[in-house]
Amino acid sequence: MVENTDKAWNRYGELDPYFGVLSSDKYQSKNLNEDSYREFFQSGINDFNSVIATVQKHIDPHFQPRYALEFGCGVGRILIPLAKSSIHVVGLDVSESMLAEARKNCQLNKLQNVELLKSDDSLTAIAGRKFNFIYSFIVFQHISPRRGEAIMANIIKHLESNGVGVLHFTYHQEVSKLQKTREWIKKYIPFAHNLINLIKCKDFNYPLMLMNQYDLNRLFLRLHKSNIHNIYVEMSNHGGHLGVILYFQLI
């Protein structure tokens, strides 16, 4: 279960799709209501507006997304406002159940310019296609670093000339020794996580949400080798998980 993060993500899509995207109790399936649903998608609008404002301030003052790709689109939190500002949008996700929920949300918003496709490490579903905007947020942290680095390199290959990429990675975790011990136990001791699930009155096979830290030197080396030179870095902190949002343009 620990190694197969794609299977775990699909399970989140089946059990707790909104919590899988934003880990707040109010977005758990058992707590989700009209207000929290609305708040969830409003957060996506706010984040999208902030990202475009940052791109225009630090990368390209005239930038507007036209043909866009979101890697790890989940249930469509960012995909929906992105689609409303673009000609055509592709959402990639490894989880069929997440894609099914995203499809429902796009239909509710009467969007007809969205394409939802199942992802793999080689990005086979978008072979040969180019985008002027590629985005991924709070996704790579759930993918093992070496695998994530390879996916990052593949993503950049789909960026057109003068296109903009915005990718988020975590690099450090500020937690107590006790919390680190708990996470180690859940990750490496057989059935420990499952037993904790039962104690918390969850499904026995409720997935373990893994967090990974990336080597920033290796990420910048990937960007350099991809001929990326125009970069802006923004720091992030999600509950002690420190990260960077990399804004860059392919010239």
Side-chain angles (χ1 to χ4, degrees):
M1 181 185 69
V2 167
E3 295 298 325
N4 196 339
T5 55
D6 292 357
K7 184 177 180 181
W9 190 246
N10 191 62
R11 190 68 174 144
Y12 265 112
E14 295 170 349
L15 296 173
D16 246 346
Y18 296 87
F19 179 79
V21 176
L22 291 181
S23 300
S24 173
D25 289 345
K26 60 188 170 184
Y27 300 133
Q28 288 184 340
S29 294
K30 64 181 181 180
N31 299 326
L32 196 66
N33 55 39
E34 186 176 336
D35 289 338
S36 56
Y37 180 87
R38 187 185 304 109
E39 182 181 319
F40 178 91
F41 283 101
Q42 183 60 49
S43 75
I45 295 170
N46 296 342
D47 285 352
F48 172 73
N49 290 339
S50 176
V51 164
I52 296 302
T54 301
V55 169
Q56 292 174 343
K57 181 177 180 180
H58 296 284
I59 300 294
D60 183 347
H62 305 295
F63 178 79
Q64 289 294 333
R66 301 189 313 276
Y67 296 94
L69 168 70
E70 184 182 6
F71 175 75
C73 65
V75 299
R77 189 181 75 96
I78 298 292
L79 192 76
I80 289 170
L82 177 57
K84 291 179 178 179
S85 300
S86 306
I87 296 171
H88 187 79
V89 172
V90 174
L92 288 181
D93 206 285
V94 297
S95 169
E96 293 281 11
S97 51
M98 285 286 187
L99 290 172
E101 193 67 22
R103 195 166 289 111
K104 292 178 185 177
N105 289 320
C106 287
Q107 289 171 351
L108 286 172
N109 283 270
K110 300 180 180 179
L111 295 173
Q112 298 182 339
N113 63 334
V114 176
E115 196 176 351
L116 294 167
L117 302 171
K118 194 173 189 301
S119 183
D120 59 31
D121 290 9
S122 299
L123 308 182
T124 308
I126 56 169
R129 298 170 69 172
K130 296 282 187 177
F131 303 87
N132 88 311
F133 184 60
I134 297 178
Y135 178 79
S136 183
F137 183 62
I138 54 176
V139 175
F140 279 99
Q141 61 195 28
H142 302 306
I143 302 172
S144 61
R146 292 304 172 94
R147 181 186 174 197
E149 288 174 18
I151 294 172
M152 173 190 181
N154 285 332
I155 283 177
I156 294 173
K157 292 177 183 177
H158 291 276
L159 197 61
E160 67 179 33
S161 180
N162 295 317
V164 170
V166 179
L167 305 179
H168 170 255
F169 298 89
T170 46
Y171 69 90
H172 180 70
Q173 186 176 6
E174 287 192 332
V175 295
S176 66
K177 290 184 178 180
L178 178 60
Q179 182 61 30
K180 285 183 179 180
T181 301
R182 288 174 179 170
E183 292 185 3
W184 187 91
I185 289 172
K186 288 192 291 183
K187 186 174 181 179
Y188 293 110
I189 296 181
F191 301 109
H193 174 66
N194 305 87
L195 293 174
I196 292 172
N197 283 340
L198 292 180
I199 293 171
K200 293 183 176 180
C201 299
K202 292 183 177 181
D203 184 283
F204 181 75
N205 291 315
Y206 193 87
L208 175 63
M209 184 176 286
L210 294 177
M211 297 294 292
N212 296 282
Q213 286 79 50
Y214 283 71
D215 183 333
L216 295 184
N217 288 331
R218 293 181 62 86
L219 294 181
F220 280 104
L221 179 60
R222 289 277 184 179
L223 290 172
H224 199 118
K225 288 185 174 181
S226 298
N227 205 30
I228 300 290
H229 303 294
N230 187 16
I231 303 172
Y232 174 73
V233 179
E234 189 173 79
M235 312 302 282
S236 66
N237 183 351
H238 295 89
H241 298 284
L242 306 185
V244 291
I245 305 173
L246 304 176
Y247 295 78
F248 54 89
Q249 187 173 36
L250 180 62
I251 303 297

